[in-house]
Amino acid sequence: MKVIVSAAEKQFINSAIASGKRLDGRDTYDYRKVRITYGTERGCCEVQVGETRVLAQTSCEVVKPSGARPSEGMLHINLELSPMASPTFEPGRMSSFGVELNRLLERSVRESKAVDTESLCIVVGVKVWQVRVDLHALNFDGNLLDCSSIAAIASLHHFRRPEVTVSGEQVTIHSLEDREPVALSIHHMPICVTFAFFQEGKYLLVDPSDREESVMDGTMVVCMNIHRELCTVQMTGSMLLLKDQLSRCCQIAIVKVSEITEVIKSALANDAQARKEGRKHGFAESKVSSRITTGHMEEQTIPIKKEVDGSGSEDEMEDEEEEEEANGEEKNQNGSDVKIDSPGVGTIGEGLRNTWGVPTEDSDDNGQDTIMEEKATTEADDKRGGNKSCQKNL
Amino acid sequence: MAASMTNADVVLPGDVLTDRLKEITNKKVRLGPGLRWQSKDVVACKCGVLKSREDHAFWIDNHQRRYIPAKGESIIGVVSLKAGDIFRVNIGSNLPAALPYLSFEGATKRNRPNVQIGDLVYAKLLVANRDMEPELVCIDGSGQSNGLGVLSREGFMFKCSLHLCRKILSPDCSLLRVLGKKIPLEVTVGMNGRIWLRCRSVNDTICAMNAILAAEYTPEQNLKSMVYKIFGGVAAV
């Protein structure tokens, strides 16, 4: 089912983007709030990017390896789009949108060799582990790809497979009670960052929402890890981009990926801590109990950049509904503990100039913002905005 | 209106409410949304709060975004298809609604109204039955448009919960009055959870949209301060 977007919405969203504003008060490069919640089961997690939610579950089983790669285990990723997420998703056959997302997830996680498949081998040519990541879209509010890629990698990191001992021909798979299960060996964390382009590539937005996706001309997906290694780049839609735009997107992706990686790492650390101390953990614990949540509304910031009654303040304000929620969630607007090594500088080989041909910080503040017609904020702004929108649910 | 909410007012689908209704009144009752007459019993088919009115009307109030068409309600729809002598309009219900081109003010067989695909229409539901295609009109009984018709493309339409639409249309709610004092705006509220808005600038529109959405959980006495906070002015005008 295709939903027709009214001309009024199209026109308004385009003119809002042209004047550098977004409907939810974010800045051009702001990411929505990322939340990662782990379940009690190993390899189970729910990721929320704004209102978009994805549930991930990793599982494994012993299978016969493929003939071409007898010494490698298998990794499958499957994203399910049920009508629960959005009325536009139809049950049954996968839509072209679903196929595209699945393919991109495979490219970003499996083909970037994030998971060491050789370590999943038990007996060459006979028995290997098959690891499966099942992703379910619970709610769709745009940017499903980023949310699913975070969920997939966060779930893989959390997952533990049973310990196996091989003695001669004898293969023993130990139960979870028998021996401590082992974590998968994961080389890096590939994370997708989606950029939406408007008006033939003239304007760019990070992390498009549902409304923005419905009027955009095309997207560019940059999948990267924290070591600044590109895993996948994909462009779709009807627009032509300049070389500068590509490198600029990569730069933004570096910042976003390092922030999201920190969020995943701290969520993992918190979960590990809770398990170690024997505290209660899981989805039930992450929800506020004995509270009616139907009246809950996501907090949002609305930048006021207009002079009203002569009080020309350019500050940001919070909406009223925060007072209502008051569920102990800290608003660490500035005090987020996500740290980024100064963006634009390579994280490997510290102290050396990067060879990526991207301008470093000092040159950034002067000449960088004339690259495109879009509202160019400096990297420093970018970092601040990113920090703010990136919050953890502990 | 029902008195303050108690636990007893909360009902779940399948609850038999015949006895509870008998306690409240022994007159003939009218069943509203969420209540069904099933084998000589009144049964709830939604979860929510049971509410009643002086004239023995009962209904279940809940948080809902999915629109169920009801005869006579004014809604905002998106024209999605021109098919022969009708327009198909998406109104957010299970079926698209039909809007005959003759049911516009001044339209004749020769003089067709200028409606394009993607236009927003403010229309009234003429037919709204279960399992039947709803039918819309943009005129009243005397052939006058009376405010109904195509909405300007210059505004912006956003979706909200059905409850919020009812709330801001209620005479007790001061939101639109307060907003109107602050900025000049044009607003159309459809009962299907869609609000069309036009302000002077993009910034005003975004602020007004956020003010309206924030009003859902803001008590009446805080509305004014909320609006003033969003528009960054002092509380006295």
Side-chain angles (χ1 to χ4, degrees), chain A residues 257-271:
Chain A
V257 164
S258 50
E259 284 168 7
I260 294 167
T261 309
E262 285 303 317
V263 174
I264 298 176
K265 279 185 179 161
S266 63
L268 275 167
N270 279 318
D271 182 72

Side-chain angles (χ1 to χ4, degrees), chain B residues 138-222:
Chain B
C138 284
I139 40 170
D140 61 6
S142 57
Q144 302 294 304
S145 75
N146 222 342
L148 301 170
V150 180
L151 296 167
S152 162
R153 290 190 172 206
E154 258 137 61
F156 178 57
M157 196 261 292
F158 60 94
K159 290 173 187 157
C160 63
S161 74
L162 303 183
H163 176 251
L164 179 62
C165 282
R166 289 194 291 266
K167 178 174 174 175
I168 55 180
L169 284 177
S170 132
D172 306 330
C173 182
S174 63
L175 176 74
L176 292 181
R177 283 195 293 277
V178 175
L179 263 179
K181 269 187 194 160
K182 203 67 209 166
I183 49 157
L185 86 164
E186 228 181 310
V187 63
T188 306
V189 183
M191 288 301 283
N192 57 342
R194 292 178 183 182
I195 299 174
W196 175 88
L197 192 67
R198 180 157 76 166
C199 299
R200 279 209 183 123
S201 68
V202 168
N203 205 53
D204 278 355
T205 312
I206 293 178
C207 287
M209 178 182 92
N210 281 295
I212 292 173
L213 290 175
E216 181 155 21
Y217 303 118
T218 310
E220 176 64 33
Q221 64 266 28
N222 297 349

Side-chain angles (χ1 to χ4, degrees), chain A residues 131-152:
Chain A
V131 177
R132 227 188 126 73
V133 187
D134 284 294
L135 299 157
H136 287 266
L138 301 181
N139 194 26
F140 177 67
D141 189 22
N143 208 1
L144 195 54
L145 178 69
D146 290 15
C147 193
S148 332
S149 91
I150 298 170

Side-chain angles (χ1 to χ4, degrees), chain A residues 4 6-9 11-12 16 21 23 211 294-295 297 300 302 304 306 308-309 311 317 319-321 324, chain B residues 78 80 118 120 153 155-158 182 202-206 209-210 213-214 217 219 226 229-233:
Chain A
I4 298 265
S6 71
E9 283 172 274
Q11 199 174 326
F12 180 80
K21 293 193 176 67
L23 297 180
R211 294 318 261 314
T294 48
M297 215 165 147
Q300 51 184 326
I302 305 167
I304 307 293
K306 207 186 103 207
V308 186
D309 297 343
S311 61
M317 57 145 304
D319 253 356
E320 276 293 293
E321 63 270 8
E324 297 225 333
Chain B
V78 185
S80 55
L120 292 171
R153 290 190 172 206
F156 178 57
M157 196 261 292
F158 60 94
K182 203 67 209 166
V202 168
N203 205 53
D204 278 355
T205 312
I206 293 178
M209 178 182 92
N210 281 295
L213 290 175
Y217 303 118
M226 182 270 290
K229 225 169 132 189
I230 283 180
F231 285 94

Side-chain angles (χ1 to χ4, degrees), chain A residues 302-307 311-317 384, chain B residues 232:
Chain A
I302 305 167
I304 307 293
K305 285 172 186 154
K306 207 186 103 207
E307 296 191 11
S311 61
S313 59
E314 209 179 279
D315 55 343
E316 295 199 338
M317 57 145 304
R384 178 185 52 84

Side-chain angles (χ1 to χ4, degrees), chain A residues 137-269:
Chain A
L138 301 181
N139 194 26
F140 177 67
D141 189 22
N143 208 1
L144 195 54
L145 178 69
D146 290 15
C147 193
S148 332
S149 91
I150 298 170
I153 200 72
S155 163
L156 280 167
H157 262 275
H158 191 246
F159 182 65
R160 300 285 183 274
R161 66 169 172 84
E163 173 82 287
V164 177
T165 46
V166 183
S167 51
E169 293 286 288
Q170 190 77 23
V171 177
T172 327
I173 298 170
H174 299 279
S175 67
L176 300 184
E177 294 78 31
D178 197 15
R179 289 229 189 140
E180 187 67 17
V182 287
L184 302 176
S185 113
I186 295 170
H187 297 309
H188 62 100
M189 277 192 197
I191 287 161
C192 294
V193 178
T194 305
F195 300 89
F197 289 90
F198 297 84
Q199 295 168 30
E200 279 115 44
K202 201 170 164 191
Y203 299 103
L204 155 152
L205 291 185
V206 176
D207 184 20
S209 71
D210 185 20
R211 294 318 261 314
E212 288 157 353
E213 276 189 0
S214 62
V215 297
M216 72 186 174
D217 285 335
T219 55
M220 175 149 96
V221 176
V222 177
C223 181
M224 213 185 243
N225 63 19
I226 200 165
H227 311 301
R228 307 184 53 178
E229 292 162 336
L230 274 176
C231 302
T232 295
V233 178
Q234 195 226 26
M235 269 193 277
T236 46
S238 55
M239 79 270 176
L240 292 168
L241 296 182
L242 300 168
K243 232 181 351 182
D244 287 338
Q245 283 173 299
L246 187 76
S247 70
R248 184 168 188 84
C249 285
C250 289
Q251 278 195 57
I252 299 165
I254 293 166
V255 182
K256 299 301 169 201
V257 164
S258 50
E259 284 168 7
I260 294 167
T261 309
E262 285 303 317
V263 174
I264 298 176
K265 279 185 179 161
S266 63
L268 275 167

Side-chain angles (χ1 to χ4, degrees), chain B residues 28-32 51-59:
Chain B
K28 228 181 200 175
V29 296
R30 293 162 70 188
L31 301 184
K51 291 200 168 173
S52 60
R53 219 166 47 186
E54 291 302 307
D55 60 352
H56 317 293
F58 290 86
W59 71 96

